[in-house]
Amino acid sequence: MAVLIAVLGAAVLHAVWNAMAHGVPDRLAGFALLGLSSGLCGLVAVSVTGLPPANTWPYIVASVLIHLAYYGGLLASYQLGQFSQVYPLARGTSPWVVAVIAIVVLHQQPVPLELAGVLLISVGLIALVFIGGRPSRRQSPALLAAFGTGLTIAAYTVVDGVAVHKLPLATYMGWVFMLQGLIVPLAVFCWRGTGFLTQERRHVYAGLGGGLVSMVAYGLVLWAQQRGTLASIAALRETSIIFGAIIGALFFGERFGPKRAIAAAVVVAGIVLISTQ
């Protein structure tokens, strides 16, 4: 139950920081500000925890590179397609891919009801892609980008799930956030100069605050990965889409609608199945 509460809490926080980032009109600047705040926090953490064990560097480097690919895929998806379709596809792809890898490669064996819960959550999330109508052929690049982004989510989920059993959580989080966090604003600075800092004050605060919230959400997930199976945690984590839709309806005037309610009910059914294990 503690793992369930932690991951659902992380899902809520994930939806919150995405909503905060969504509030920054310049999305690239928003990602740079997110990276800046989380990278500086990571820098503070590594100054306390010190160097990780030498044999864990491959996990840290792999996670950083995959996260950078994830950010690139997410930006491409947002530029090519509609948020309401590409985001659910990216997040809904991850759970079942993680489940396959966990079973085939890592030899984790979720019980049948737990696996059924993972599949229900994936189905409910991907159903959100089709609520706005059947995607057209011209939307194919956006959907391919979103699917590729989903694969990167699955990849860093598996890498993180293995790494947290090999070194202290604070050490791993600190190095991953410092490296990936500071690379993003540095790259944006090289491309656009200090322009990403010249946003309205409220947008700067939203971007920097979103980075802090994302760190807390990520930390909760890593803590849960030390105690639960990867497949169920990956599925529960992606319920952030449902929480994001609720936030959109409450604060941004976006329509939730009966179809989204049905998809949300399917996701809740999946959560119930996982929570009974």
Side-chain angles (χ1 to χ4, degrees):
M1 186 55 66
V3 170
L4 176 69
I5 293 172
V7 181
L8 290 179
V12 173
L13 293 176
H14 190 276
V16 168
W17 79 253
N18 272 273
M20 295 171 73
H22 184 65
V24 181
D26 186 339
R27 297 291 165 76
L28 189 59
F31 272 84
L33 291 167
L34 283 164
L36 182 61
S37 61
S38 62
L40 291 175
C41 288
L43 180 61
V44 173
V46 300
S47 68
V48 175
T49 61
L51 290 171
N55 63 343
T56 61
W57 276 109
Y59 298 100
I60 294 172
V61 173
S63 183
V64 169
L65 293 177
I66 296 169
H67 271 90
L68 292 175
Y70 158 69
Y71 290 140
L74 201 59
L75 277 172
S77 300
Y78 289 166
Q79 290 173 342
L80 293 171
Q82 297 178 351
F83 179 84
S84 61
Q85 287 190 318
V86 297
Y87 186 66
L89 178 58
R91 308 307 305 193
T93 297
S94 169
W96 62 265
V97 175
V98 171
V100 171
I101 295 174
I103 293 171
V104 176
V105 179
L106 302 180
H107 306 295
Q108 293 185 358
Q109 296 297 328
V111 298
L113 281 180
E114 187 178 22
L115 187 57
V118 170
L119 294 177
L120 273 179
I121 291 174
S122 292
V123 168
L125 296 179
I126 294 179
L128 293 171
V129 179
F130 301 95
I131 284 177
R134 184 178 178 181
S136 63
R137 182 173 297 180
R138 66 181 181 179
Q139 293 174 302
S140 296
L143 298 181
L144 286 174
F147 180 71
T149 303
L151 294 181
T152 64
I153 295 169
Y156 73 62
T157 298
V158 172
V159 171
D160 292 345
V162 176
V164 293
H165 293 285
K166 295 183 177 294
L167 73 164
L169 181 59
T171 304
Y172 184 68
M173 274 191 65
W175 282 96
V176 169
F177 267 98
M178 184 191 72
L179 293 174
Q180 78 181 32
L182 295 181
I183 286 174
V184 174
L186 180 61
V188 175
F189 171 77
C190 293
W191 183 19
R192 290 173 45 177
T194 57
F196 74 92
L197 293 173
T198 58
Q199 308 291 313
E200 290 185 31
R201 184 173 297 180
R202 60 192 179 95
H203 294 152
V204 173
Y205 290 158
L208 294 175
L212 299 179
V213 175
S214 72
M215 280 197 71
V216 177
Y218 191 73
L220 286 172
V221 170
L222 292 181
W223 177 86
Q225 285 178 330
Q226 292 179 321
R227 294 159 174 80
T229 58
L230 281 181
S232 60
I233 291 170
L236 290 170
R237 181 186 194 180
E238 306 311 346
T239 58
S240 61
I241 299 172
I242 301 299
F243 295 118
I246 294 171
I247 290 172
L250 292 177
F251 297 101
F252 298 120
E254 298 177 358
R255 187 171 177 270
F256 196 78
K259 292 182 179 179
R260 279 191 170 83
I262 293 173
V266 173
V267 171
V268 170
I271 294 173
V272 171
L273 287 180
I274 291 174
S275 67
T276 58
Q277 303 311 305

